[in-house]
Each structure stands twice: as C-alpha cells, then as structure tokens.
Amino acid sequence: MADSLPQEAVSQRILRSETVLVLALSLGASGVSALISFVGSLTKPGGLKDQAATLNSSYAPGRPWLDLAWQLFGITTALVPVALVAHLLIREGAGLRVIGFDRTRPSSDLGRGVLVAAGIGSAGLAFYLVARAAGFNLTVVPESLPDVWWKFPVLILSAIQNSVVEEVIVVGYLLRRLGQLGWTPMAALVASSVLRGSYHLYQGIGGFVGNMVMGVVFVLLYRRWQRVGPLVAAHALLDIGAFVGYALLAGKVGWLPTP
C-alpha cells in the first residue's frame, strides 16, 4: 500500500479544491460567462458602444406577480455561495466574523462605506462615460424593469445581493484562502482584482479595467481595516445609486447614455 500523504499536503489540497469549487459555483463561472459574452460582442457587427448590457431586466414581461417571484428567486439563489462560504468558515472554526462580516460595528462600517462610495462613484461614472465614448465599452443599462410597485425595492435588494456576494467571496474568503495556500500578498491582490474585473468583462474593456482598479482599492482597504463590512456597504451604495439613478434619470438627462 502506498504511503499516505502528509496531513499538511492533504489540507492544502483540500483548501485548493474547495476554493476552485466555490469560485466555479459563483463568480469564477460569472467570469467565464462574461468572457464569452464579450467575445460575442466583439464579433457582432457594429461598435461596442452601439450594443447594450442590461443588468436588471424582466423575467416575465406583462406578468408582474410572476416576474416578482422570479426576481426574488434569482436574488435569493445568488446568495447560496455566500451561505456555503459561511458554512466552510464555521467548519474551520472561524465564521464570517473572521473576515469582518458581522454586526459588531454597523456605524463604522456604514460610515466608511459612504466615504468609499463617494470617492469611487464619481470617478467610476466618469471613467465609464470616457470608455464608452472611446468605443471600449458597451452601453450599460442598469435596469429595464417595468414600472410596477416592486421595482425600486427589487433594485435595492439586487444591489445588496451583488455587494454581499462579491465582497464576501472575492475579498474576504478568497484572500483568506490564498493566504492559507501560501500566496504572497501581491499575488493574492492581483488574483482578486483580476477576478473582479473578469466578471464585468461583458460590459467591455472599460468595465474590466475599471472594476479591476476598484478591486485593488478594495483589497488595500480590507487589509487596512480587516473587515469586508465597509466594502459591502460601499458596493451596495454604488449599485443602488446606479440602479435607482438610472431608473429616475434615463431619457431625462443628455449626459446619461441609453440604448
């Protein structure tokens, strides 16, 4: 019988497999999907800015209650990988508190999140407008939901879901696992940032670069604060601003691109 592997090697192999599986079930798969979508956009007649990437759309046009059921189903199931990460961290004896996703500092997390969102929001919008004008980005349509009573609550819930999934997995969980696997801080920063950019590639080169830069900033802030709470708050505020702002302003102001 062959000698068994050392426990440390087994643990490293398990951690590596676990990380790959978590990403394959969540944002890693989104990155591959975004790449395929981007290739499709590149090979389609016309420039990128003449094409649209819609983020929140109707699942059942003309049937608002069925549409609402699908919207809530999509938001809920998208959070399953976060539940899996929580389970894995609890089995490790740590839990989500180890990455700073808890209710111990709500005021501090929200305050820092507001400041980060204010700094990134204006710069991100300006970068998007420039990238689109230069032909590097599709026209991003943050929402195309019907004018029904649940429109804005669903947009807010979608923004919160996006922020929780991305910051818990791409920052807190991934950086912890890569550190346990022996990656250098710089290599982990690059991996996290490139992953964040990859699943925004469906928006175009601008979406990839802009989100990769945001990823670098978020990793540095996480290492400084040791908490993903402020990043979740910042990301949620950014997405709420984008989704709700577009719903209120699209077609009413000249500077906001529409399809």
Side-chain angles (χ1 to χ4, degrees), residues 4 38 49 67 70 81 91-95 143 156-157 180 219:
S4 60
F38 178 61
K49 68 178 181 179
D67 199 350
W70 278 118
R91 288 188 61 183
E92 183 187 331
E143 71 85 25
I156 292 170
L157 287 175
Q180 292 170 328
V219 168

Side-chain angles (χ1 to χ4, degrees), residues 224-259:
R224 180 180 179 85
W225 295 330
Q226 295 297 302
R227 294 186 61 77
V228 298
L231 308 182
V232 170
H235 194 149
L237 291 171
L238 288 169
D239 279 7
I240 290 171
F243 298 168
V244 175
Y246 186 89
L248 296 174
L249 299 177
K252 299 177 182 178
V253 294
W255 55 265
L256 184 62
T258 55

Side-chain angles (χ1 to χ4, degrees), residues 166-178:
E166 293 189 39
E167 305 316 325
V168 168
I169 294 177
V170 178
V171 179
Y173 171 78
L174 184 60
L175 291 181
R176 181 172 178 81
R177 284 294 182 259
L178 293 182

Side-chain angles (χ1 to χ4, degrees), residues 103-116:
R103 294 176 293 178
T104 59
R105 304 178 190 175
S107 299
S108 174
D109 288 348
L110 180 58
R112 288 172 170 175
V114 169
L115 292 176
V116 174

Side-chain angles (χ1 to χ4, degrees), residues 47-50 126-138 205-206 257:
L48 290 179
K49 68 178 181 179
D50 298 322
F127 181 79
Y128 160 66
L129 294 175
V130 170
R132 180 186 175 277
F136 296 131
N137 224 75
L138 284 76
I205 296 296

Side-chain angles (χ1 to χ4, degrees), residues 88-95:
L88 293 170
L89 291 176
I90 289 172
R91 288 188 61 183
E92 183 187 331

Side-chain angles (χ1 to χ4, degrees), residues 23 27-28 31 169-170 174 190-200:
L23 294 180
L27 296 168
I169 294 177
V170 178
L174 184 60
V190 170
S192 175
S193 303
V194 170
L195 175 59
R196 186 187 295 268
S198 73
Y199 55 79
H200 289 94

